[in-house]
Amino acid sequence: DTAVSQTPKYLVTQMGNDKSIKCEQNLGHDTMYWYKQDSKKFLKIMFSYNNKELIINETVPNRFSPKSPDKAHLNLHINSLELGDSAVYFCASSQVYLAGGLSYEQYFGPGTRLTVT
Amino acid sequence: GNSVTQMEGPVTLSEEAFLTINCTYTATGYPSLFWYVQYPGEGLQLLLKATKADDKGSNKGFEATYRKETTSFHLEKGSVQVSDSAVYFCALIIAAGNKLTFGGGTRVLVKP
């Protein structure tokens, strides 16, 4: 029972190509995120969506475009890939409102390691 | 802005040794605090959390106490195992549904 899944797990591609990473969560959460982990393991938010609406859009090149077809899916499309885009991309999800109050926990997928050559 | 600072690694320990990883934060507002763990080749797993001052989060023998006066959330484990070898991330969040702000991660290597 995978809670947050990503495909593919590994992605090797050449500079200039366009690629997509898919994320799905079966937790019924209303908010999804993309984080980027660089080669030094530093993690930083890229985007978040709440019920298919863009909520967070950090300073990310516009070559990166998230798309949320429904609240269980958040895909990341990257145009004109550059060497510096090589990283591990993590999808995460959370449910803000629970019966007992607010929830702050985010659940992460296994990551997609993108290598641009 | 918000930031998290944690001790740089790697931290190398022998099995059954005591582990402490320091974490301090700067935040506008009243954050919730987390420790996440990343085992080799895997994603991030939530290890423990604390949502208000003096709360103690605990899981799998790990503990951390939310200290508002020192803006700290240090992670401790009394007796580490080889299987605890991983990268540990301290993180904060200001509001539910907002972004997590992570520290730089601390790699821990436990030797038999």
Side-chain angles (χ1 to χ4, degrees), chain A:
Chain A
D1 287 352
T2 304
V4 182
S5 60
Q6 297 178 224
T7 54
K9 189 170 173 64
Y10 301 97
L11 183 54
V12 181
T13 188
Q14 292 183 330
M15 281 196 309
N17 285 349
D18 304 338
K19 291 294 179 185
S20 291
I21 306 171
K22 296 186 176 181
C23 177
E24 177 181 2
Q25 53 95 3
N26 62 6
L27 297 166
H29 288 169
D30 59 9
T31 306
M32 296 184 72
Y33 313 78
W34 279 110
Y35 288 85
K36 179 180 180 181
Q37 185 176 45
D38 64 21
S39 58
K40 296 184 178 180
K41 298 287 189 183
F42 187 70
L43 278 151
K44 191 173 180 183
I45 185 74
M46 299 176 71
F47 304 101
S48 82
Y49 271 73
N50 177 271
N51 286 317
K52 301 195 298 176
E53 286 194 36
L54 182 65
I55 301 298
I56 296 174
N57 185 352
E58 292 287 293
T59 307
V60 176
N62 57 16
R63 298 182 294 103
F64 290 78
S65 54
K67 286 185 174 52
S68 182
D70 55 62
K71 73 174 191 176
H73 296 84
L74 179 60
N75 304 323
L76 183 64
H77 188 75
I78 315 170
N79 289 327
S80 303
L81 278 155
E82 300 177 357
L83 292 176
D85 297 332
S86 295
V88 181
Y89 292 85
F90 286 101
C91 178
S93 73
S94 70
Q95 178 64 33
V96 174
Y97 298 101
L98 295 175
L102 295 175
S103 172
Y104 299 86
E105 298 176 26
Q106 296 183 14
Y107 296 85
F108 283 76
T112 296
R113 181 175 295 277
L114 171 64
T115 303
V116 183
T117 61

Side-chain angles (χ1 to χ4, degrees), chain B:
Chain B
N2 303 321
S3 66
V4 177
T5 302
Q6 58 183 108
M7 57 191 291
E8 288 192 27
V11 174
T12 303
L13 302 164
S14 297
E15 214 165 15
E16 299 183 2
F18 185 86
L19 171 67
T20 298
I21 304 176
N22 290 338
C23 170
T24 57
Y25 67 88
T26 302
T28 53
Y30 200 163
S32 293
L33 303 173
F34 303 87
W35 277 99
Y36 280 84
V37 58
Q38 185 176 25
Y39 298 104
E42 297 186 13
L44 291 159
Q45 298 178 26
L46 178 63
L47 182 59
L48 53 84
K49 66 177 181 180
T51 57
K52 60 183 187 295
D54 300 325
D55 267 3
K56 177 186 281 189
S58 61
N59 186 24
K60 298 182 180 179
F62 290 90
E63 291 183 342
T65 301
Y66 190 144
R67 300 286 187 202
K68 190 165 183 273
E69 64 277 12
T70 55
T71 61
S72 64
F73 192 53
H74 305 322
L75 182 69
E76 296 182 337
K77 186 174 184 181
S79 177
V80 293
Q81 305 300 313
V82 173
S83 57
D84 293 324
S85 297
V87 181
Y88 293 82
F89 293 92
C90 186
L92 68 81
I93 195 168
I94 291 299
N98 209 316
K99 63 181 181 181
L100 280 165
T101 298
F102 286 92
T106 302
R107 184 179 298 277
V108 173
L109 177 60
V110 181
K111 296 186 173 181

